Amino acid sequence: MATGSDAPPPPIPVCVVEHHPLATLYLEEILRRDPGLEIVSRSLLLDTAADSPRRGLHVFILDLSALPTALNKLLRFIHVRFRRAKVLLLGEPQSDDELCRLLFLGVQGFLPYSEVKENLVAAVRAVADDGYWLPAGVLEQFETTSSRLLRRKTDLDVLSFRERRVVELVKRRLTNAEIASILNVSETTVTTYLTRIFGKLGVRDRQAILDATAQPAPLPKPK
């Protein structure tokens, strides 16, 4: 019997969330090719026992065309109950923008149906090892978008509450007089606020405020 460092690592629990029984059997048959993977029942999702031995790392395989509920709700459900859970999606080919959106939802991998037979086990292994199973271009896009969101938050954090309020009104393309009326201050005070905002954000005019605080374009919703 192997002991100590010679002991094999524990198997990786994998849960297939698939509506069609035949598709479930097909996916599980592929997974059984790797003895290091342990197939667990979908009923695991309903196990809320605090001391459950299966509360650690799990890989959940979700079929986008056969989900029991909306994807965002299902992902939230999984991550609340299994904090270390990794999610691999199966489906028809998706655009890079859609794959990037899925990353923001907490997905670690996507595998087109046409690649399931050949790459399912490798994809499960990759996400279980804290990696990703996605095209390199998608990961680069995700990193760029994440950086922009973080930079925007950091930029606005340097502003006071009233200055952020002025920024929001500027983004509505209101004049200084209109902003002064809404805030019940003088136009001179609004000008003072804008001068401070320009300095803190490192911009020169109102249009630059719009550019500096612009959010990335929203990613498309799933079809």
Side-chain angles (χ1 to χ4, degrees):
M1 178 181 297
T3 59
S5 60
D6 295 329
I12 300 169
V14 182
C15 179
V16 176
V17 181
E18 167 63 62
H19 178 70
H20 303 292
L22 289 179
T24 300
L25 290 174
Y26 174 73
L27 294 173
E28 291 181 347
E29 184 62 29
I30 295 175
L31 295 170
R32 287 191 179 93
R33 299 173 185 171
D34 187 336
L37 304 180
E38 176 190 6
I39 298 172
V40 295
S41 171
R42 176 175 165 179
S43 62
L44 173 72
L45 286 174
L46 303 177
D47 176 16
T48 57
D51 59 348
S52 170
R54 301 184 183 280
R55 303 288 284 177
L57 170 66
H58 282 79
V59 176
F60 289 87
I61 299 175
L62 312 183
D63 184 347
L64 274 177
S65 68
L67 296 178
T69 186
L71 177 61
N72 61 333
K73 293 182 179 179
L74 182 56
L75 291 173
R76 184 164 59 249
F77 188 90
I78 290 173
H79 287 120
V80 165
R81 285 160 176 74
F82 305 90
R83 295 182 180 180
R84 296 181 59 206
K86 308 294 182 180
V87 177
L88 174 67
L89 295 182
L90 311 180
E92 297 293 344
Q94 304 289 319
S95 68
D96 285 358
D97 281 349
E98 175 60 11
L99 292 176
C100 188
R101 189 192 73 86
L102 293 174
L103 276 170
F104 276 109
L105 289 178
V107 170
Q108 285 73 41
F110 178 82
L111 193 62
Y113 291 136
S114 60
E115 299 179 16
V116 166
K117 183 177 181 180
E118 180 180 358
N119 293 322
L120 181 61
V121 170
V124 168
R125 282 285 184 179
V127 300
D129 195 32
D130 291 327
Y132 291 90
W133 192 270
L134 289 159
V138 172
L139 296 177
E140 292 173 1
Q141 178 178 334
F142 176 70
E143 182 177 356
T144 299
T145 304
S146 298
S147 297
R148 290 175 63 190
L149 288 170
L150 179 61
R151 184 169 61 252
R152 177 178 181 271
K153 181 178 186 302
T154 302
D155 286 343
L156 294 184
D157 281 347
V158 304
L159 303 180
S160 68
F161 172 79
R162 183 55 66 94
E163 289 165 347
R164 288 197 296 271
R165 178 67 172 141
V166 171
V167 167
E168 291 304 316
L169 295 174
V170 168
K171 290 167 66 176
R172 290 165 56 184
R173 302 186 183 280
L174 300 180
T175 65
N176 284 9
E178 290 170 328
I179 294 173
S181 177
I182 291 173
L183 298 181
N184 195 28
V185 298
S186 68
E187 288 188 51
T188 300
T189 299
V190 173
T191 300
T192 300
Y193 280 134
L194 288 172
T195 300
R196 292 175 182 171
I197 292 167
F198 291 163
K200 290 182 178 181
L201 297 183
V203 299
R204 296 182 179 181
D205 54 33
R206 296 167 68 97
Q207 182 58 48
I209 288 180
L210 300 178
D211 295 339
T213 60
Q215 297 187 40
L219 296 173
K221 296 181 180 179
K223 299 179 180 179

mmCIF file of all heavy atoms in Angstrom, residues 48-90:
data_model
loop_
_atom_site.group_PDB
_atom_site.id
_atom_site.type_symbol
_atom_site.label_atom_id
_atom_site.label_comp_id
_atom_site.label_asym_id
_atom_site.label_seq_id
_atom_site.Cartn_x
_atom_site.Cartn_y
_atom_site.Cartn_z
ATOM 1 N N THR A 48 -26.860 20.038 1.206
ATOM 2 C CA THR A 48 -26.432 21.262 1.889
ATOM 3 C C THR A 48 -25.835 20.971 3.262
ATOM 4 O O THR A 48 -25.667 21.881 4.073
ATOM 5 C CB THR A 48 -27.628 22.218 2.062
ATOM 6 O OG1 THR A 48 -28.672 21.548 2.796
ATOM 7 C CG2 THR A 48 -28.177 22.652 0.714
ATOM 8 N N ALA A 49 -25.496 19.718 3.527
ATOM 9 C CA ALA A 49 -24.916 19.370 4.830
ATOM 10 C C ALA A 49 -23.606 20.112 5.038
ATOM 11 O O ALA A 49 -22.709 20.067 4.210
ATOM 12 C CB ALA A 49 -24.682 17.860 4.907
ATOM 13 N N ALA A 50 -23.500 20.809 6.154
ATOM 14 C CA ALA A 50 -22.314 21.639 6.419
ATOM 15 C C ALA A 50 -21.048 20.806 6.526
ATOM 16 O O ALA A 50 -19.959 21.270 6.222
ATOM 17 C CB ALA A 50 -22.521 22.449 7.688
ATOM 18 N N ASP A 51 -21.189 19.545 6.991
ATOM 19 C CA ASP A 51 -20.006 18.718 7.195
ATOM 20 C C ASP A 51 -19.808 17.715 6.059
ATOM 21 O O ASP A 51 -19.087 16.734 6.209
ATOM 22 C CB ASP A 51 -20.108 17.966 8.529
ATOM 23 C CG ASP A 51 -21.347 17.068 8.596
ATOM 24 O OD1 ASP A 51 -22.219 17.210 7.702
ATOM 25 O OD2 ASP A 51 -21.437 16.261 9.526
ATOM 26 N N SER A 52 -20.446 17.970 4.951
ATOM 27 C CA SER A 52 -20.312 17.044 3.834
ATOM 28 C C SER A 52 -18.861 16.943 3.401
ATOM 29 O O SER A 52 -18.178 17.952 3.235
ATOM 30 C CB SER A 52 -21.157 17.512 2.641
ATOM 31 O OG SER A 52 -20.851 16.744 1.494
ATOM 32 N N PRO A 53 -18.334 15.714 3.200
ATOM 33 C CA PRO A 53 -16.951 15.564 2.757
ATOM 34 C C PRO A 53 -16.757 16.018 1.312
ATOM 35 O O PRO A 53 -15.641 16.090 0.819
ATOM 36 C CB PRO A 53 -16.706 14.049 2.893
ATOM 37 C CG PRO A 53 -18.060 13.451 2.716
ATOM 38 C CD PRO A 53 -19.001 14.416 3.384
ATOM 39 N N ARG A 54 -17.823 16.334 0.622
ATOM 40 C CA ARG A 54 -17.734 16.727 -0.774
ATOM 41 C C ARG A 54 -17.924 18.226 -0.957
ATOM 42 O O ARG A 54 -18.438 18.675 -1.962
ATOM 43 C CB ARG A 54 -18.779 15.963 -1.592
ATOM 44 C CG ARG A 54 -18.638 14.457 -1.519
ATOM 45 C CD ARG A 54 -19.637 13.790 -2.437
ATOM 46 N NE ARG A 54 -19.597 12.353 -2.354
ATOM 47 C CZ ARG A 54 -18.708 11.582 -2.965
ATOM 48 N NH1 ARG A 54 -17.767 12.142 -3.679
ATOM 49 N NH2 ARG A 54 -18.740 10.277 -2.851
ATOM 50 N N ARG A 55 -17.536 18.996 0.045
ATOM 51 C CA ARG A 55 -17.727 20.438 -0.037
ATOM 52 C C ARG A 55 -16.517 21.150 -0.644
ATOM 53 O O ARG A 55 -16.522 22.358 -0.794
ATOM 54 C CB ARG A 55 -18.002 21.019 1.352
ATOM 55 C CG ARG A 55 -19.191 20.402 2.062
ATOM 56 C CD ARG A 55 -20.488 20.832 1.456
ATOM 57 N NE ARG A 55 -20.833 22.198 1.841
ATOM 58 C CZ ARG A 55 -21.886 22.834 1.405
ATOM 59 N NH1 ARG A 55 -22.690 22.266 0.528
ATOM 60 N NH2 ARG A 55 -22.149 24.060 1.813
ATOM 61 N N GLY A 56 -15.466 20.408 -0.957
ATOM 62 C CA GLY A 56 -14.259 21.028 -1.478
ATOM 63 C C GLY A 56 -14.309 21.194 -2.986
ATOM 64 O O GLY A 56 -15.328 21.538 -3.568
ATOM 65 N N LEU A 57 -13.172 20.928 -3.628
ATOM 66 C CA LEU A 57 -13.065 21.112 -5.069
ATOM 67 C C LEU A 57 -13.997 20.155 -5.817
ATOM 68 O O LEU A 57 -14.011 18.962 -5.564
ATOM 69 C CB LEU A 57 -11.620 20.868 -5.510
ATOM 70 C CG LEU A 57 -11.385 20.793 -7.017
ATOM 71 C CD1 LEU A 57 -11.672 22.140 -7.664
ATOM 72 C CD2 LEU A 57 -9.963 20.355 -7.319
ATOM 73 N N HIS A 58 -14.761 20.703 -6.720
ATOM 74 C CA HIS A 58 -15.566 19.910 -7.634
ATOM 75 C C HIS A 58 -15.483 20.544 -9.005
ATOM 76 O O HIS A 58 -15.329 21.755 -9.128
ATOM 77 C CB HIS A 58 -17.042 19.877 -7.204
ATOM 78 C CG HIS A 58 -17.340 18.956 -6.081
ATOM 79 N ND1 HIS A 58 -17.082 19.279 -4.773
ATOM 80 C CD2 HIS A 58 -17.860 17.703 -6.073
ATOM 81 C CE1 HIS A 58 -17.448 18.262 -4.001
ATOM 82 N NE2 HIS A 58 -17.918 17.306 -4.764
ATOM 83 N N VAL A 59 -15.630 19.738 -10.018
ATOM 84 C CA VAL A 59 -15.780 20.253 -11.370
ATOM 85 C C VAL A 59 -17.200 19.929 -11.807
ATOM 86 O O VAL A 59 -17.621 18.772 -11.792
ATOM 87 C CB VAL A 59 -14.765 19.621 -12.343
ATOM 88 C CG1 VAL A 59 -15.036 20.116 -13.767
ATOM 89 C CG2 VAL A 59 -13.334 19.955 -11.927
ATOM 90 N N PHE A 60 -17.928 20.961 -12.179
ATOM 91 C CA PHE A 60 -19.291 20.791 -12.662
ATOM 92 C C PHE A 60 -19.307 20.983 -14.171
ATOM 93 O O PHE A 60 -18.811 21.994 -14.681
ATOM 94 C CB PHE A 60 -20.233 21.792 -11.992
ATOM 95 C CG PHE A 60 -20.484 21.502 -10.546
ATOM 96 C CD1 PHE A 60 -19.635 21.999 -9.569
ATOM 97 C CD2 PHE A 60 -21.557 20.710 -10.161
ATOM 98 C CE1 PHE A 60 -19.854 21.718 -8.224
ATOM 99 C CE2 PHE A 60 -21.794 20.436 -8.821
ATOM 100 C CZ PHE A 60 -20.942 20.944 -7.854
ATOM 101 N N ILE A 61 -19.869 20.030 -14.879
ATOM 102 C CA ILE A 61 -20.002 20.101 -16.324
ATOM 103 C C ILE A 61 -21.450 20.450 -16.637
ATOM 104 O O ILE A 61 -22.366 19.696 -16.297
ATOM 105 C CB ILE A 61 -19.617 18.763 -16.984
ATOM 106 C CG1 ILE A 61 -18.149 18.422 -16.680
ATOM 107 C CG2 ILE A 61 -19.851 18.824 -18.485
ATOM 108 C CD1 ILE A 61 -17.725 17.064 -17.197
ATOM 109 N N LEU A 62 -21.648 21.599 -17.279
ATOM 110 C CA LEU A 62 -22.995 22.070 -17.597
ATOM 111 C C LEU A 62 -23.196 22.126 -19.100
ATOM 112 O O LEU A 62 -22.345 22.659 -19.819
ATOM 113 C CB LEU A 62 -23.232 23.469 -17.009
ATOM 114 C CG LEU A 62 -22.850 23.717 -15.548
ATOM 115 C CD1 LEU A 62 -23.224 25.140 -15.155
ATOM 116 C CD2 LEU A 62 -23.538 22.727 -14.638
ATOM 117 N N ASP A 63 -24.314 21.599 -19.550
ATOM 118 C CA ASP A 63 -24.663 21.651 -20.964
ATOM 119 C C ASP A 63 -25.537 22.881 -21.194
ATOM 120 O O ASP A 63 -26.653 22.970 -20.680
ATOM 121 C CB ASP A 63 -25.423 20.379 -21.344
ATOM 122 C CG ASP A 63 -25.747 20.316 -22.830
ATOM 123 O OD1 ASP A 63 -25.608 21.339 -23.524
ATOM 124 O OD2 ASP A 63 -26.153 19.226 -23.294
ATOM 125 N N LEU A 64 -25.031 23.844 -21.960
ATOM 126 C CA LEU A 64 -25.748 25.101 -22.159
ATOM 127 C C LEU A 64 -27.125 24.919 -22.789
ATOM 128 O O LEU A 64 -28.020 25.726 -22.568
ATOM 129 C CB LEU A 64 -24.917 26.031 -23.046
ATOM 130 C CG LEU A 64 -23.870 26.899 -22.347
ATOM 131 C CD1 LEU A 64 -23.093 27.705 -23.377
ATOM 132 C CD2 LEU A 64 -24.526 27.831 -21.344
ATOM 133 N N SER A 65 -27.303 23.870 -23.566
ATOM 134 C CA SER A 65 -28.586 23.670 -24.244
ATOM 135 C C SER A 65 -29.584 22.894 -23.387
ATOM 136 O O SER A 65 -30.715 22.674 -23.816
ATOM 137 C CB SER A 65 -28.370 22.925 -25.568
ATOM 138 O OG SER A 65 -27.939 21.592 -25.326
ATOM 139 N N ALA A 66 -29.171 22.488 -22.195
ATOM 140 C CA ALA A 66 -30.069 21.664 -21.371
ATOM 141 C C ALA A 66 -29.923 21.998 -19.891
ATOM 142 O O ALA A 66 -29.765 21.119 -19.048
ATOM 143 C CB ALA A 66 -29.771 20.180 -21.614
ATOM 144 N N LEU A 67 -29.984 23.281 -19.572
ATOM 145 C CA LEU A 67 -29.843 23.699 -18.179
ATOM 146 C C LEU A 67 -31.190 23.635 -17.454
ATOM 147 O O LEU A 67 -32.227 23.966 -18.037
ATOM 148 C CB LEU A 67 -29.304 25.129 -18.105
ATOM 149 C CG LEU A 67 -27.898 25.352 -18.665
ATOM 150 C CD1 LEU A 67 -27.533 26.835 -18.568
ATOM 151 C CD2 LEU A 67 -26.876 24.512 -17.916
ATOM 152 N N PRO A 68 -31.185 23.231 -16.183
ATOM 153 C CA PRO A 68 -32.439 23.159 -15.426
ATOM 154 C C PRO A 68 -32.975 24.531 -15.034
ATOM 155 O O PRO A 68 -34.130 24.664 -14.649
ATOM 156 C CB PRO A 68 -32.048 22.348 -14.186
ATOM 157 C CG PRO A 68 -30.584 22.612 -14.014
ATOM 158 C CD PRO A 68 -30.043 22.736 -15.407
ATOM 159 N N THR A 69 -32.137 25.570 -15.113
ATOM 160 C CA THR A 69 -32.544 26.932 -14.775
ATOM 161 C C THR A 69 -31.607 27.899 -15.480
ATOM 162 O O THR A 69 -30.694 27.469 -16.189
ATOM 163 C CB THR A 69 -32.497 27.157 -13.250
ATOM 164 O OG1 THR A 69 -33.038 28.440 -12.928
ATOM 165 C CG2 THR A 69 -31.074 27.058 -12.730
ATOM 166 N N ALA A 70 -31.828 29.193 -15.320
ATOM 167 C CA ALA A 70 -30.976 30.186 -15.971
ATOM 168 C C ALA A 70 -29.528 30.003 -15.540
ATOM 169 O O ALA A 70 -29.252 29.691 -14.376
ATOM 170 C CB ALA A 70 -31.463 31.590 -15.630
ATOM 171 N N LEU A 71 -28.597 30.210 -16.469
ATOM 172 C CA LEU A 71 -27.192 29.942 -16.198
ATOM 173 C C LEU A 71 -26.674 30.746 -15.014
ATOM 174 O O LEU A 71 -25.988 30.201 -14.142
ATOM 175 C CB LEU A 71 -26.347 30.246 -17.436
ATOM 176 C CG LEU A 71 -24.835 30.071 -17.271
ATOM 177 C CD1 LEU A 71 -24.485 28.641 -16.912
ATOM 178 C CD2 LEU A 71 -24.101 30.512 -18.538
ATOM 179 N N ASN A 72 -26.966 32.050 -14.962
ATOM 180 C CA ASN A 72 -26.431 32.867 -13.868
ATOM 181 C C ASN A 72 -26.948 32.402 -12.512
ATOM 182 O O ASN A 72 -26.211 32.401 -11.524
ATOM 183 C CB ASN A 72 -26.757 34.346 -14.095
ATOM 184 C CG ASN A 72 -28.240 34.626 -14.149
ATOM 185 O OD1 ASN A 72 -29.038 33.752 -14.501
ATOM 186 N ND2 ASN A 72 -28.634 35.842 -13.818
ATOM 187 N N LYS A 73 -28.200 31.956 -12.442
ATOM 188 C CA LYS A 73 -28.748 31.453 -11.184
ATOM 189 C C LYS A 73 -28.090 30.131 -10.795
ATOM 190 O O LYS A 73 -27.789 29.897 -9.617
ATOM 191 C CB LYS A 73 -30.258 31.270 -11.301
ATOM 192 C CG LYS A 73 -31.032 32.573 -11.454
ATOM 193 C CD LYS A 73 -32.525 32.304 -11.514
ATOM 194 C CE LYS A 73 -33.311 33.609 -11.638
ATOM 195 N NZ LYS A 73 -34.778 33.356 -11.714
ATOM 196 N N LEU A 74 -27.880 29.279 -11.773
ATOM 197 C CA LEU A 74 -27.261 27.982 -11.493
ATOM 198 C C LEU A 74 -25.821 28.160 -11.031
ATOM 199 O O LEU A 74 -25.365 27.495 -10.088
ATOM 200 C CB LEU A 74 -27.315 27.103 -12.741
ATOM 201 C CG LEU A 74 -26.758 25.682 -12.600
ATOM 202 C CD1 LEU A 74 -27.449 24.939 -11.465
ATOM 203 C CD2 LEU A 74 -26.912 24.923 -13.911
ATOM 204 N N LEU A 75 -25.083 29.071 -11.667
ATOM 205 C CA LEU A 75 -23.700 29.323 -11.265
ATOM 206 C C LEU A 75 -23.636 29.875 -9.847
ATOM 207 O O LEU A 75 -22.784 29.475 -9.048
ATOM 208 C CB LEU A 75 -23.034 30.295 -12.234
ATOM 209 C CG LEU A 75 -22.766 29.760 -13.641
ATOM 210 C CD1 LEU A 75 -22.263 30.874 -14.550
ATOM 211 C CD2 LEU A 75 -21.763 28.606 -13.610
ATOM 212 N N ARG A 76 -24.537 30.781 -9.527
ATOM 213 C CA ARG A 76 -24.569 31.336 -8.171
ATOM 214 C C ARG A 76 -24.889 30.235 -7.157
ATOM 215 O O ARG A 76 -24.286 30.163 -6.083
ATOM 216 C CB ARG A 76 -25.593 32.465 -8.093
ATOM 217 C CG ARG A 76 -25.631 33.172 -6.749
ATOM 218 C CD ARG A 76 -26.354 34.503 -6.839
ATOM 219 N NE ARG A 76 -27.722 34.359 -7.307
ATOM 220 C CZ ARG A 76 -28.159 34.790 -8.485
ATOM 221 N NH1 ARG A 76 -27.329 35.377 -9.322
ATOM 222 N NH2 ARG A 76 -29.421 34.626 -8.830
ATOM 223 N N PHE A 77 -25.830 29.371 -7.507
ATOM 224 C CA PHE A 77 -26.214 28.244 -6.653
ATOM 225 C C PHE A 77 -25.008 27.344 -6.375
ATOM 226 O O PHE A 77 -24.749 26.939 -5.234
ATOM 227 C CB PHE A 77 -27.324 27.462 -7.361
ATOM 228 C CG PHE A 77 -27.954 26.379 -6.548
ATOM 229 C CD1 PHE A 77 -29.064 26.639 -5.761
ATOM 230 C CD2 PHE A 77 -27.450 25.089 -6.575
ATOM 231 C CE1 PHE A 77 -29.655 25.631 -5.016
ATOM 232 C CE2 PHE A 77 -28.034 24.081 -5.832
ATOM 233 C CZ PHE A 77 -29.142 24.346 -5.050
ATOM 234 N N ILE A 78 -24.258 27.039 -7.432
ATOM 235 C CA ILE A 78 -23.095 26.155 -7.290
ATOM 236 C C ILE A 78 -22.016 26.801 -6.437
ATOM 237 O O ILE A 78 -21.476 26.183 -5.513
ATOM 238 C CB ILE A 78 -22.532 25.788 -8.681
ATOM 239 C CG1 ILE A 78 -23.494 24.853 -9.411
ATOM 240 C CG2 ILE A 78 -21.143 25.140 -8.554
ATOM 241 C CD1 ILE A 78 -23.105 24.581 -10.852
ATOM 242 N N HIS A 79 -21.688 28.051 -6.716
ATOM 243 C CA HIS A 79 -20.567 28.687 -6.023
ATOM 244 C C HIS A 79 -20.874 29.001 -4.568
ATOM 245 O O HIS A 79 -19.957 29.086 -3.744
ATOM 246 C CB HIS A 79 -20.146 29.954 -6.780
ATOM 247 C CG HIS A 79 -19.424 29.673 -8.049
ATOM 248 N ND1 HIS A 79 -19.868 30.087 -9.275
ATOM 249 C CD2 HIS A 79 -18.282 28.985 -8.297
ATOM 250 C CE1 HIS A 79 -19.029 29.683 -10.220
ATOM 251 N NE2 HIS A 79 -18.059 29.018 -9.644
ATOM 252 N N VAL A 80 -22.145 29.162 -4.225
ATOM 253 C CA VAL A 80 -22.499 29.362 -2.814
ATOM 254 C C VAL A 80 -22.268 28.074 -2.030
ATOM 255 O O VAL A 80 -21.762 28.095 -0.906
ATOM 256 C CB VAL A 80 -23.963 29.818 -2.685
ATOM 257 C CG1 VAL A 80 -24.454 29.683 -1.239
ATOM 258 C CG2 VAL A 80 -24.101 31.262 -3.131
ATOM 259 N N ARG A 81 -22.610 26.938 -2.629
ATOM 260 C CA ARG A 81 -22.504 25.663 -1.925
ATOM 261 C C ARG A 81 -21.131 25.020 -2.032
ATOM 262 O O ARG A 81 -20.736 24.251 -1.163
ATOM 263 C CB ARG A 81 -23.580 24.698 -2.450
ATOM 264 C CG ARG A 81 -24.959 25.043 -1.930
ATOM 265 C CD ARG A 81 -26.069 24.439 -2.778
ATOM 266 N NE ARG A 81 -27.358 24.717 -2.168
ATOM 267 C CZ ARG A 81 -27.947 25.912 -2.181
ATOM 268 N NH1 ARG A 81 -27.345 26.920 -2.770
ATOM 269 N NH2 ARG A 81 -29.123 26.088 -1.601
ATOM 270 N N PHE A 82 -20.420 25.334 -3.091
ATOM 271 C CA PHE A 82 -19.102 24.733 -3.309
ATOM 272 C C PHE A 82 -18.123 25.849 -3.663
ATOM 273 O O PHE A 82 -17.959 26.197 -4.838
ATOM 274 C CB PHE A 82 -19.157 23.687 -4.419
ATOM 275 C CG PHE A 82 -20.182 22.622 -4.189
ATOM 276 C CD1 PHE A 82 -21.473 22.782 -4.656
ATOM 277 C CD2 PHE A 82 -19.870 21.486 -3.477
ATOM 278 C CE1 PHE A 82 -22.435 21.813 -4.435
ATOM 279 C CE2 PHE A 82 -20.828 20.510 -3.245
ATOM 280 C CZ PHE A 82 -22.110 20.670 -3.723
ATOM 281 N N ARG A 83 -17.483 26.409 -2.661
ATOM 282 C CA ARG A 83 -16.676 27.610 -2.844
ATOM 283 C C ARG A 83 -15.487 27.393 -3.774
ATOM 284 O O ARG A 83 -14.994 28.335 -4.382
ATOM 285 C CB ARG A 83 -16.198 28.128 -1.490
ATOM 286 C CG ARG A 83 -17.336 28.607 -0.604
ATOM 287 C CD ARG A 83 -16.826 29.152 0.707
ATOM 288 N NE ARG A 83 -17.932 29.596 1.548
ATOM 289 C CZ ARG A 83 -17.779 30.112 2.763
ATOM 290 N NH1 ARG A 83 -16.562 30.248 3.271
ATOM 291 N NH2 ARG A 83 -18.826 30.488 3.454
ATOM 292 N N ARG A 84 -15.014 26.176 -3.878
ATOM 293 C CA ARG A 84 -13.866 25.907 -4.748
ATOM 294 C C ARG A 84 -14.296 25.312 -6.084
ATOM 295 O O ARG A 84 -13.472 24.815 -6.846
ATOM 296 C CB ARG A 84 -12.897 24.953 -4.047
ATOM 297 C CG ARG A 84 -12.265 25.502 -2.775
ATOM 298 C CD ARG A 84 -11.301 24.498 -2.181
ATOM 299 N NE ARG A 84 -10.244 24.162 -3.119
ATOM 300 C CZ ARG A 84 -9.572 23.011 -3.111
ATOM 301 N NH1 ARG A 84 -9.866 22.075 -2.226
ATOM 302 N NH2 ARG A 84 -8.615 22.792 -3.985
ATOM 303 N N ALA A 85 -15.574 25.342 -6.372
ATOM 304 C CA ALA A 85 -16.091 24.712 -7.586
ATOM 305 C C ALA A 85 -15.504 25.328 -8.850
ATOM 306 O O ALA A 85 -15.266 26.535 -8.926
ATOM 307 C CB ALA A 85 -17.609 24.816 -7.620
ATOM 308 N N LYS A 86 -15.284 24.477 -9.824
ATOM 309 C CA LYS A 86 -14.872 24.896 -11.164
ATOM 310 C C LYS A 86 -15.980 24.489 -12.122
ATOM 311 O O LYS A 86 -16.602 23.435 -11.954
ATOM 312 C CB LYS A 86 -13.566 24.227 -11.585
ATOM 313 C CG LYS A 86 -12.435 24.376 -10.561
ATOM 314 C CD LYS A 86 -11.991 25.802 -10.394
ATOM 315 C CE LYS A 86 -10.830 25.907 -9.404
ATOM 316 N NZ LYS A 86 -10.383 27.301 -9.225
ATOM 317 N N VAL A 87 -16.217 25.310 -13.130
ATOM 318 C CA VAL A 87 -17.325 25.044 -14.050
ATOM 319 C C VAL A 87 -16.823 24.972 -15.487
ATOM 320 O O VAL A 87 -16.124 25.872 -15.965
ATOM 321 C CB VAL A 87 -18.408 26.140 -13.932
ATOM 322 C CG1 VAL A 87 -19.521 25.890 -14.948
ATOM 323 C CG2 VAL A 87 -18.979 26.170 -12.511
ATOM 324 N N LEU A 88 -17.197 23.895 -16.146
ATOM 325 C CA LEU A 88 -16.878 23.688 -17.561
ATOM 326 C C LEU A 88 -18.194 23.625 -18.325
ATOM 327 O O LEU A 88 -19.060 22.808 -17.993
ATOM 328 C CB LEU A 88 -16.091 22.386 -17.746
ATOM 329 C CG LEU A 88 -15.799 21.950 -19.186
ATOM 330 C CD1 LEU A 88 -14.849 22.927 -19.865
ATOM 331 C CD2 LEU A 88 -15.215 20.536 -19.209
ATOM 332 N N LEU A 89 -18.351 24.485 -19.313
ATOM 333 C CA LEU A 89 -19.572 24.511 -20.109
ATOM 334 C C LEU A 89 -19.382 23.773 -21.423
ATOM 335 O O LEU A 89 -18.306 23.806 -22.023
ATOM 336 C CB LEU A 89 -19.976 25.957 -20.416
ATOM 337 C CG LEU A 89 -20.369 26.851 -19.238
ATOM 338 C CD1 LEU A 89 -20.776 28.230 -19.756
ATOM 339 C CD2 LEU A 89 -21.506 26.240 -18.439
ATOM 340 N N LEU A 90 -20.451 23.131 -21.865
ATOM 341 C CA LEU A 90 -20.478 22.495 -23.176
ATOM 342 C C LEU A 90 -21.563 23.180 -24.002
ATOM 343 O O LEU A 90 -22.605 23.576 -23.466
ATOM 344 C CB LEU A 90 -20.812 21.006 -23.045
ATOM 345 C CG LEU A 90 -20.028 20.183 -22.025
ATOM 346 C CD1 LEU A 90 -20.512 18.733 -22.043
ATOM 347 C CD2 LEU A 90 -18.537 20.253 -22.299
#
